[in-house]
């Protein structure tokens, strides 16, 4: 009985969190417009001379409001029907449920802005250069390990934790692999669900991803320019390909030993408060002989959050841990130039010298469970690429 009560409480917390993220998206237009209007009001408080000097800037602020209005239309498309995006969980807003409401903070709103920039990175022609740097080494390594002229790639199960908006997972599925992306952030899940399952037509939509970025802007045109997406039709996958997405905590969902042929991680492992747990889990779920392909920096997400405890091993310490856990490193580079959701026209550009490595689980590892995920549906059956996972369980759609 106590277990049932605890489960109910967890469900309530999950619904409250889900609804809070929906509300953040819904508040995008109003709060962003208010932010711009405050700047307009500030200019109006200046002297007449300064107002005349800032007349071009004032016009730019007015144009920013138009761009935000266009973005809001896409944001609304993203959250349409999200209550039904998971097969085994319904999140309709319940008027009888006492949802604890809190003010939407600037940090919440920034996550919507980040999501729009992620759309550019993963699903626009403008993001192709970034994807080439970040995804290409991973794709090439996996293709080399599983040549299509020698292996039926539909039998190769690949997991992509921290899948974000799903482009790397899509690229793997488009090469014929059976691929599952995993993502924890509802901001990312809402947007990836929309792009993968609800968008239609190449470059059929546009957003203004840089309108919220006011620093290091060289010209108004740079801040106000639109970006079209998606640059491909996400439904155009080979007949035998399989692409699913699992929602939830990587450590809680993936507990079955010897289940995956390959794990591909890109800008992911530094998301852990304890990176050792990530490495141990990847080793556990890989089949003997399976490969882990990793690329990314070590920008530890919890390092500067006072409310979170975390560890931040150097790369030398990390790769030593990877070997001690049992992996065999077959390739390693520490100088891969990469960027992340970068505005190519910004006056400030950040470049990571990312690490790249290929690590294999030895063939002679004892196979604890010969478990193969064989209950996937071909994406053609439903047209959707979705799996819901809660409390460590997966239920395919």
């Amino acid at each position: 009985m106590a277990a049932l009560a605890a489960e109910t409480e967890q469900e309530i917390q999950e619904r409250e969190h889900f609804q809070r993220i929906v509300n953040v998206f819904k508040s995008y237009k109003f709060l962003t417009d208010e932010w711009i209007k405050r700047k307009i009001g500030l200019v109006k408080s200046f002297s007449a001379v300064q107002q005349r000097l800032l007349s071009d800037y004032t016009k730019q602020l007015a144009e920013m409001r138009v761009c935000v209005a266009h973005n809001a239309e896409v944001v609304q498309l993203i959250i349409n029907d999200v209550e039904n995006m998971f097969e085994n969980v319904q999140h309709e807003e319940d008027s009888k449920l006492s949802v604890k409401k809190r003010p939407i903070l600037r940090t919440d709103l920034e996550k919507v802005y980040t999501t729009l920039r992620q759309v550019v990175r993963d699903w626009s022609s403008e993001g192709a250069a970034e994807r080439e740097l970040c995804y290409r080494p991973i794709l090439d390594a996996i293709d080399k390990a599983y040549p299509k002229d020698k292996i039926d790639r539909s039998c190769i199960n690949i997991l992509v934790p921290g899948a974000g908006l799903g482009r790397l997972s899509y690229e793997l599925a488009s090469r014929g692999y059976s691929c599952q992306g995993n993502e924890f952030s509802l901001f990312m899940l809402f947007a990836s669900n929309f792009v993968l399952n609800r968008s239609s037509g190449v470059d059929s939509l546009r957003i203004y991803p840089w309108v919220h970025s006011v620093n290091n802007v060289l010209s108004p045109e740079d801040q106000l320019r639109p970006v079209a997406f998606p640059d491909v039709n996400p439904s155009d996958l080979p007949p035998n390909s399989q692409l699913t997405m699992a929602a939830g905590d990587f450590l809680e969902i993936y507990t079955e030993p010897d289940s995956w042929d390959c794990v591909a991680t890109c800008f992911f492992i530094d998301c852990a408060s304890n990176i050792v747990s990530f490495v141990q889990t990847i080793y556990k779920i890989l089949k003997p002989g399976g490969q882990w392909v990793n690329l990314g920096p070590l920008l530890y997400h919890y390092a500067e959050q006072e409310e979170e405890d975390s560890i931040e091993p150097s790369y030398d310490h990390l790769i030593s841990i990877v070997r001690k856990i049992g992996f065999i490193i077959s390739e390693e580079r520490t100088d891969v130039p990469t960027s992340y959701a970068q505005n190519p026209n910004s006056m400030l550009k950040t470049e990571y010298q990312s690490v790249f490595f290929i690590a294999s689980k030895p063939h002679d590892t004892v196979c604890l469970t010969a478990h193969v995920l064989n209950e996937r549906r071909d994406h053609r059956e439903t047209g959707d690429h979705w799996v819901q996972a809660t409390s460590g369980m997966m239920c395919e759609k």
Side-chain angles (χ1 to χ4, degrees), residues 277-296:
S277 294
F278 272 16
V279 178
Q280 289 176 318
T281 297
I282 293 170
Y283 188 85
K284 175 183 177 181
I285 66 177
L286 275 174
K287 298 175 184 178
Q291 288 198 341
W292 172 24
V293 185
N294 174 75
L295 186 145

Side-chain angles (χ1 to χ4, degrees), residues 13-187:
Q13 291 175 357
E14 288 178 354
R15 185 180 299 190
E16 288 178 344
H17 176 66
F18 186 97
Q19 195 57 51
R20 185 180 71 81
I21 304 306
V22 171
N23 289 338
V24 173
F25 276 94
K26 286 181 176 179
S27 302
Y28 164 80
K29 183 178 187 298
F30 174 78
L31 293 179
T32 307
D33 197 53
E34 286 295 303
W35 166 65
I36 299 173
K37 285 163 64 177
R38 286 196 298 272
K39 294 182 182 297
I40 294 173
L42 181 61
V43 173
K44 288 182 178 179
S45 71
F46 296 164
S47 68
V49 172
Q50 290 183 338
Q51 289 187 51
R52 286 195 297 272
L53 291 170
L54 288 166
S55 60
D56 288 341
Y57 175 67
T58 304
K59 291 177 182 177
Q60 180 186 344
L61 291 173
E63 292 172 347
M64 287 170 62
R65 296 184 66 189
V66 175
C67 294
V68 168
H70 282 298
N71 282 351
E73 295 175 1
V74 175
V75 168
Q76 184 59 50
L77 291 174
I78 288 173
I79 60 173
N80 280 345
D81 300 322
V82 292
E83 291 82 2
N84 304 311
M85 66 186 277
F86 302 130
E87 182 183 63
N88 60 335
V89 177
Q90 294 296 312
H91 286 289
E92 291 90 346
E93 190 168 5
D94 188 347
S95 60
K96 296 180 181 179
L97 182 67
S98 177
V99 178
K100 299 175 184 177
K101 293 188 176 181
R102 74 175 197 185
I104 294 175
L105 306 176
R106 179 72 184 183
T107 52
D108 294 324
L109 203 55
E110 286 288 347
K111 292 177 182 177
V112 179
Y113 301 164
T114 298
T115 301
L116 294 176
R117 292 193 292 269
Q118 281 283 120
V119 171
V120 177
R121 172 181 168 86
D122 264 13
W123 295 104
S124 77
S125 297
E126 184 168 305
E130 270 196 19
R131 294 195 300 272
E132 184 70 16
L133 292 173
C134 296
Y135 298 162
R136 175 62 62 185
I138 296 173
L139 295 169
D140 287 348
I142 294 174
D143 285 346
K144 183 178 180 181
Y146 307 105
K148 62 182 179 181
D149 59 338
K150 297 180 180 179
I151 294 177
D152 180 1
R153 287 181 172 178
S154 66
C155 297
I156 303 299
N157 296 317
I158 301 179
L159 175 64
V160 182
L165 266 61
R167 184 59 179 260
L168 179 57
S169 303
Y170 167 84
E171 292 292 342
L172 287 165
S174 70
R175 285 162 166 74
Y177 301 106
S178 177
C179 185
Q180 181 169 102
N182 164 239
E183 180 56 52
F184 182 77
S185 166
L186 285 177
F187 290 94

Side-chain angles (χ1 to χ4, degrees), residues 337-365:
T338 56
S339 57
Y340 194 88
Q342 185 85 63
N343 180 355
N345 294 341
S346 173
M347 296 166 67
L348 174 65
K349 295 181 176 63
T350 301
E351 181 179 274
Y352 298 100
Q353 293 296 307
S354 289
V355 297
F356 171 81
F357 60 76
I358 303 172
S360 299
K361 183 175 180 176
H363 282 278
D364 57 359
T365 300

